[in-house]
Amino acid sequence: MNCFDCTQEQKNVPAVAICCHCGTGICAGHMLLSTEEVHHEVGTGPAWGKRSARRATCRTCGGAEHEGPAA
C-alpha cells in the first residue's frame, strides 16, 4: 500500500502506518505520531494505564483534532 497523500502529489511512497481515524495509508513524512492515555474499566470507574499508547494520524485528521470545534 502506498501513502495516500503522496499519491495526490504524484509520488509512489510506501505507507508505514494507517491513520487511526480515517484508515488512510500514510508514510513517515505525512504521519503525525502522538500518544494517548489508555483507560480500563476497573471496579467503580475507569483507571489509567501505566503507559501511553502510540497513536498515528494523517495530517488531515491530526489537524482537524487540533483545530477545535467549528464556529
Side-chain angles (χ1 to χ4, degrees):
M1 177 189 308
N2 288 332
C3 173
F4 178 79
D5 290 329
C6 285
T7 60
Q8 301 301 306
E9 299 168 2
Q10 308 301 315
K11 300 176 191 172
N12 287 323
V13 179
V16 297
I18 303 294
C19 176
C20 66
H21 285 289
C22 68
T24 298
I26 44 180
C27 69
H30 285 113
M31 177 174 53
L32 297 175
L33 194 58
S34 61
T35 59
E36 180 176 54
E37 296 292 326
V38 178
H39 60 277
H40 306 275
E41 297 296 326
V42 178
T44 59
W48 299 106
K50 294 179 182 177
R51 341 180 250 172
S52 298
R54 182 174 34 220
R55 188 167 177 272
T57 56
C58 67
R59 288 184 181 173
T60 300
C61 292
E65 284 181 338
H66 297 301
E67 270 184 22

